[in-house]
Amino acid sequence: MTKPIVLSAALALLLPLLAVSSSVVDFDYFYLVQQWPGAQCGTKRGCCFPDAAKPAADFGIHGLWPQYLSCRPAAGADAFAIVDGPPRKKCWPANCDDRDPLSLLQIRDLLPELERNWPTLSCKKGATYMDFWSHEWRKHGTCSGFDQHGYFEASLALKARHNLTAILAGAGIVPSDEATYHLSGVRDAIREATEVNATVECSKDASGAAQLYQVYLCVAADGSGRLIDCPPPVNRKCADKIKLPPF
Ligand SMILES: *[C@@H]1O[C@H](CO)[C@@H](O)[C@H](O)[C@H]1NC(C)=O
Ligand SMILES: *[C@@H]1O[C@H](CO)[C@@H](O)[C@H](O)[C@H]1NC(C)=O
């Protein structure tokens, strides 16, 4: 599909929704989390191509996640809160409306773009792309202020606007079995292209070397689509030198 996704239109949906919705969830910013597929394949978990052909060697969306700037003590109804070591803390809102399951009909026009840009590499039996999108919508999307279509459209638009694969390649950071790259070089390349500091997360490959796994771009909560500097910690489990394994 070549139809461009219009960012401003997608994000313009947010403000009216926030204004009229009675179940507004307050949060401080979004993470747009993208995964490097080569990093998942090189771990113990492995990777599979559940209900589609092998995806492109491109970053894929994990999700658009509303976040709190500081974690809050979790209580009572927040039993679903993220456990961050005792005492229980809630660092982001989650599962804000379980009566609003994702409907394929709502995102039908986005399916080609979603399949290309938001794949899952899950090896779980029976895993499908739709399961992944439903999970992200249920857990994070229902707290985002977007409706179903707006949530996926805004995520796709943000990804298209900040193409990490192209940004890294432009700095000579390309997938390779042999090369290692300075973490600072990865961070600099992203900052030069986006003008903000991202959060970078690594995982370990089969030999224990750090590899680029996920990049978190921080997005203002105001619906403008504007990127902001990510709050610390901006380095999750990365060493000074990291790999970008081929996919
Ligand atoms: C991102 O850039 C890469 C490398 O230039 C390209 O192959 C890919 O199609 C781009 N992705 C999107 C979603 O435009
Ligand atoms: C962004 O990262 C650079 C390099 O690590 C650092 O010097 C700068 O202070 C950071 N900016 C913000 C706003 O955190």
Side-chain angles (χ1 to χ4, degrees):
M1 185 168 98
T2 54
K3 190 175 139 219
I5 288 164
V6 182
L7 180 73
S8 54
L11 290 166
L13 282 170
L14 180 58
L15 292 175
L17 274 171
L18 286 176
V20 299
S21 170
S22 57
S23 58
V24 168
V25 179
D26 76 302
F27 57 90
D28 299 311
Y29 64 101
F30 290 104
Y31 276 138
L32 176 73
V33 186
Q34 298 185 60
Q35 319 182 286
W36 176 248
Q40 184 169 335
C41 298
T43 61
K44 268 186 244 146
R45 204 149 46 108
C47 63
C48 301
F49 313 131
D51 62 350
K54 182 180 176 181
D58 190 11
F59 279 84
I61 298 173
H62 185 170
L64 182 67
W65 301 347
Q67 296 291 306
Y68 301 138
L69 261 176
S70 11
C71 301
R72 306 167 182 196
D78 292 341
F80 57 76
I82 310 315
V83 180
D84 189 21
R88 290 187 128 234
K89 282 186 182 165
K90 197 178 164 185
C91 303
W92 56 84
N95 302 327
C96 295
D97 187 359
D98 284 339
R99 295 157 310 171
D100 184 21
L102 181 61
S103 156
L104 200 54
L105 280 181
Q106 297 292 323
I107 54 170
R108 195 166 39 177
D109 62 313
L110 300 174
L111 289 179
E113 287 292 325
L114 287 171
E115 281 166 10
R116 206 154 66 89
N117 294 289
W118 203 323
T120 174
L121 303 179
S122 171
C123 292
K124 269 194 226 143
K125 195 156 170 260
T128 65
Y129 283 14
M130 185 63 185
D131 290 341
F132 185 35
W133 304 331
S134 297
H135 168 82
E136 292 298 313
W137 165 255
R138 185 173 62 248
K139 186 166 173 188
H140 304 284
T142 54
C143 306
S144 69
F146 286 106
D147 65 11
Q148 296 189 3
H149 191 270
Y151 177 75
F152 289 95
E153 187 175 41
S155 304
L156 289 167
L158 282 164
K159 179 193 183 235
R161 204 201 240 184
H162 308 287
N163 184 333
L164 290 175
T165 310
I167 289 169
L168 294 180
I173 299 164
V174 291
S176 162
D177 277 322
E178 289 83 33
T180 56
Y181 301 102
H182 286 285
L183 173 62
S184 59
V186 170
R187 304 189 55 79
D188 289 350
I190 297 172
R191 183 167 54 244
E192 265 165 39
T194 64
E195 299 180 343
V196 294
N197 283 340
T199 289
V200 177
E201 177 178 358
C202 292
S203 59
K204 287 198 166 139
D205 71 12
S207 69
Q211 55 180 357
L212 184 59
Y213 170 46
Q214 298 199 118
V215 174
Y216 300 59
L217 292 175
C218 292
V219 184
D222 64 7
S224 62
R226 180 173 51 90
L227 296 188
I228 58 172
D229 283 303
C230 286
V234 294
N235 175 5
R236 300 189 181 196
K237 300 183 236 165
C238 293
D240 290 342
K241 297 273 228 118
I242 63 178
K243 305 191 84 165
L244 185 66
F247 177 65

